[in-house]
Amino acid sequence: MKKLVIKNLHKIFNIENKKVKALNNVDLSIGDGEIVTIVGRSGCGKTTLLRILCGLEQKTSGDMEIISKDNNKSNKIGIVFQEPRLMPWLTVEENMAFSLIKNKNKDEVRTKVNKYLHMFGLENFRNAYPAQISGGMAQRVSLGRTMCYDPEIILMDEPLGALDAFNRRKLQNEFINIFIKNDKTIIFVTHDVEEAVYIGQRVIVLENGSVVNDIPIPLDYYRDVTSIRFVKIKEKILNNFRGNNIG
């Protein structure tokens, strides 16, 4: 059981002798097994927040803590980027297994990789190289690699931004399946409001580096994007970005 608590988080970049505030007094609490989406304009601090959470960027000030109720000190965090970032000289199977490189039990590695090859419909492409598969399939390989690592918390930085509408919705549903079946905490960054509402149990709205709204999504999976309730929630989020007032 994990809970991620962020308190008074600040990040300032020094660019050409000027201080640029990327994150400003961010307070968030994300419970164990939640799927939370973060939405905001380009440059609002979404990616910076994820990079701090996974240790790729250092915070300027503030606190971040993963609280465990079961004394499990693993606290493994995985991240899926917008680009698949696969190694072109490795096959699909080998790319997935890369996160298990320290595991010397070959049978255990094979079992885990086969599980996610099956989950993402990639069994027939296990021996293909990244140049031989589609962008949507490559992103599934990237997600499978992260799942093989078996993190408690999965960070996703606009992982579907480069996909066409059909593959985008298909992978959105696969992310939801992962959440339902694997009891993972997922933090999913996107600039697409409809995607944020479709996937998230909560939508966090970031503006100018600050959390300006935290909106619960009281809808069951899988969601009808044309329903009145869905459209109203989407409109509520969009209202945060209209005019000078942030709601």
Side-chain angles (χ1 to χ4, degrees), residues 152-175:
E152 284 85 4
I153 299 172
I154 302 176
L155 310 177
M156 296 186 175
D157 188 10
E158 301 193 38
L160 309 181
L163 300 183
D164 59 78
F166 175 79
N167 279 313
R168 191 176 184 119
R169 182 50 49 83
K170 183 177 180 180
L171 276 182
Q172 286 170 351
N173 287 333
E174 287 182 356
F175 290 151

Side-chain angles (χ1 to χ4, degrees), residues 10-192:
H10 292 260
K11 177 62 182 180
I12 298 173
F13 290 103
N14 291 306
I15 302 175
E16 297 181 351
N17 296 320
K18 293 182 180 179
K19 290 186 177 182
V20 178
K21 191 173 288 188
L23 295 174
N24 181 34
N25 194 31
V26 173
D27 287 304
L28 277 177
S29 179
I30 297 173
D32 180 68
E34 273 196 295
I35 179 167
V36 175
T37 49
I38 300 176
V39 68
R41 294 183 176 97
S42 295
C44 72
K46 304 186 301 295
T47 295
T48 298
L49 177 59
L50 286 199
R51 287 177 62 84
I52 290 173
L53 293 179
C54 69
L56 293 176
E57 193 75 58
Q58 295 298 310
K59 67 184 186 304
T60 300
S61 63
D63 296 305
M64 183 192 79
E65 183 180 10
I66 299 175
I67 300 172
S68 177
K69 295 180 180 178
D70 55 7
N71 296 319
N72 182 344
K73 297 182 179 180
S74 169
N75 293 343
K76 289 164 66 176
I77 296 177
I79 186 165
V80 180
F81 296 98
Q82 183 171 355
E83 310 85 16
R85 302 192 182 186
L86 303 180
M87 284 159 281
W89 59 89
L90 298 181
T91 65
V92 165
E93 184 174 20
E94 290 166 341
N95 266 286
M96 274 200 185
F98 190 77
S99 64
L100 300 170
I101 195 168
K102 294 182 179 180
N103 189 334
K104 303 303 181 183
N105 187 327
K106 292 183 179 180
D107 289 337
E108 189 175 296
V109 170
R110 189 179 299 109
T111 297
K112 185 166 284 191
V113 171
N114 282 337
K115 172 183 176 180
Y116 293 110
L117 283 169
H118 174 73
M119 179 179 291
F120 296 122
L122 294 166
E123 298 105 317
N124 295 332
F125 298 91
R126 66 171 65 236
N127 296 316
Y129 289 91
Q132 298 173 318
I133 60 178
S134 69
M137 292 170 71
Q139 196 60 284
R140 278 182 271 166
V141 177
S142 176
L143 181 58
R145 178 177 58 192
T146 299
M147 293 299 294
C148 284
Y149 178 60
D150 197 25
E152 284 85 4
I153 299 172
I154 302 176
L155 310 177
M156 296 186 175
D157 188 10
E158 301 193 38
L160 309 181
L163 300 183
D164 59 78
F166 175 79
N167 279 313
R168 191 176 184 119
R169 182 50 49 83
K170 183 177 180 180
L171 276 182
Q172 286 170 351
N173 287 333
E174 287 182 356
F175 290 151
I176 292 168
N177 281 334
I178 290 168
F179 166 71
I180 292 172
K181 295 177 181 179
N182 293 275
D183 192 30
K184 299 291 185 183
T185 300
I186 298 175
I187 303 173
F188 189 108
V189 159
T190 180
H191 63 273
D192 186 323

